[in-house]
């Protein structure tokens, strides 16, 4: 089955640091990547959608200059939290979908295992 | 805008009991509905996916039903086990284009041995 690898799984850093999270599709080509954020005991909230080679589309209330998304290849997307602060501490999960294989828009979303970000 | 609600928010049952988790969504124009399991601090495990044209899906002790017109789905777990303890998330996918899954807040299930 399709595998999405997310790295790192856990990061602790000081306030003001920039943190990069990688999301890789290991055995398929991810034409679309979704980035979600999950606060404790809350649901997964979509942050942004990125299509390979295009700029990401951010959800309302998500600062694009703070959460930089790069989807330069069909197997890798990165989320960089710039100048992170304690309120950015959360669980970040990426998800990938390949629209190009047979089945078109019926392709499911495949999820990474998430990154727990703790800002001190 | 699609909203997904899950009831109850938390549930504690003794081992062996059958249970039902509920999910409702405001916009019935969906492509499919999916149930996930999430263990504490972990990612998502897909349990069942129901296409909009389907009424139910079964996998082992799990059965998910879908009533698209009323905007409801249920996840039935038979003969619950302590290993079933986790948060169960319901998510729906809209019809238009490459839309992402929209999630409910989940139901935290504890099965007591």
């Amino acid at each position: 089955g399709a595998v999405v690898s997310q790295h790192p799984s856990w990061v602790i850093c000081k306030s003001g640091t920039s943190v990069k999270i990688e999301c890789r599709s290991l055995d398929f080509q991810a034409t679309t990547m979704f980035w979600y954020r999950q606060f404790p005991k809350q649901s997964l909230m979509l942050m942004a959608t990125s299509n390979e080679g295009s700029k990401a589309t951010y959800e309302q209330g998500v600062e694009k200059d703070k959460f930089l998304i790069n989807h330069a290849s069909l197997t890798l997307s990165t989320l960089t939290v710039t100048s992170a602060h304690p309120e950015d501490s959360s669980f970040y999960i990426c998800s990938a979908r390949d629209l190009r294989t047979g089945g078109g828009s019926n392709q499911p979303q495949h999820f990474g295992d998430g990154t727990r970000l703790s800002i001190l | 805008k699609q909203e997904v609600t899950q009831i109850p928010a938390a549930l504690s049952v003794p081992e062996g009991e059958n249970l039902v988790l509920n999910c409702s969504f405001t916009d019935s124009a969906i492509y499919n509905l999916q149930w996930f399991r999430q263990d504490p601090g972990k990612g998502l495990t897909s349990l069942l996916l129901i296409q909009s044209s389907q009424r139910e899906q079964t996998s082992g002790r799990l059965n998910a039903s879908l009533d698209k017109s009323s905007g409801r789905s249920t996840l039935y777990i038979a003969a619950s086990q302590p290993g079933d303890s986790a948060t169960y998330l319901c998510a729906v996918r809209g019809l238009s284009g490459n839309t992402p899954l929209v999630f409910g807040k989940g139901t935290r299930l504890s099965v007591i041995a």
Side-chain angles (χ1 to χ4, degrees):
Chain A
V3 176
V4 175
S5 174
Q6 190 171 339
H7 178 80
S9 58
W10 193 16
V11 57
I12 302 174
C13 58
K14 294 181 179 180
S15 183
T17 305
S18 291
V19 179
K20 179 184 285 187
I21 302 170
E22 292 187 348
C23 182
R24 295 180 183 272
S25 55
L26 299 185
D27 50 3
F28 69 101
Q29 294 182 317
T31 50
T32 303
M33 289 276 197
F34 304 101
W35 287 93
Y36 292 84
R37 179 168 54 184
Q38 185 181 35
F39 292 107
K41 298 184 179 181
Q42 297 296 314
S43 181
L44 277 73
M45 298 301 295
L46 182 69
M47 298 175 66
T49 301
S50 70
N51 292 301
E52 184 265 337
S54 303
K55 289 185 178 181
T57 301
Y58 290 80
E59 295 299 299
Q60 190 173 10
V62 179
E63 299 175 57
K64 63 179 181 181
D65 294 330
K66 182 169 186 63
F67 299 99
L68 302 178
I69 293 173
N70 184 291
H71 190 176
S73 80
L74 284 171
T75 58
L76 174 65
S77 176
T78 60
L79 168 66
T80 301
V81 184
T82 62
S83 186
H85 289 92
E87 59 266 28
D88 298 322
S89 298
S90 186
F91 192 60
Y92 293 85
I93 303 180
C94 70
S95 178
R97 180 184 286 159
D98 180 6
L99 288 182
R100 300 179 310 160
T101 56
S105 59
N106 192 30
Q107 292 303 310
Q109 284 181 230
H110 306 289
F111 288 83
D113 285 338
T115 297
R116 182 158 303 284
L117 175 62
S118 297
I119 307 299
L120 304 178
Chain B
K1 184 178 179 181
Q2 179 74 269
E3 292 184 3
V4 180
T5 302
Q6 291 187 245
I7 295 174
L11 180 64
S12 183
V13 300
E15 181 178 7
E17 193 162 296
N18 302 326
L19 57 101
V20 175
L21 308 181
N22 297 291
C23 172
S24 62
F25 44 96
T26 55
D27 185 352
S28 62
I30 63 169
Y31 197 86
N32 56 43
L33 181 144
Q34 202 164 353
W35 284 92
F36 293 87
R37 169 186 172 138
Q38 185 177 29
D39 292 289
K42 302 294 185 181
L44 305 179
T45 300
S46 179
L47 298 174
L48 291 165
L49 184 151
I50 310 177
Q51 300 295 346
S52 61
S53 59
Q54 298 175 323
R55 298 283 295 181
E56 65 176 346
Q57 283 285 332
T58 298
S59 176
R61 295 182 293 108
L62 305 179
N63 177 277
S65 69
L66 173 64
D67 184 342
K68 193 177 71 168
S69 61
S70 67
R72 296 184 180 188
S73 175
T74 61
L75 178 66
Y76 174 83
I77 302 177
S80 59
Q81 303 171 358
D84 295 331
S85 298
T87 295
Y88 291 81
L89 296 167
C90 170
V92 297
R93 179 177 172 181
L95 287 176
S96 58
N98 189 17
T99 56
L101 290 170
V102 177
F103 286 84
K105 290 186 177 181
T107 294
R108 293 187 305 281
L109 173 65
S110 296
V111 181
I112 312 302

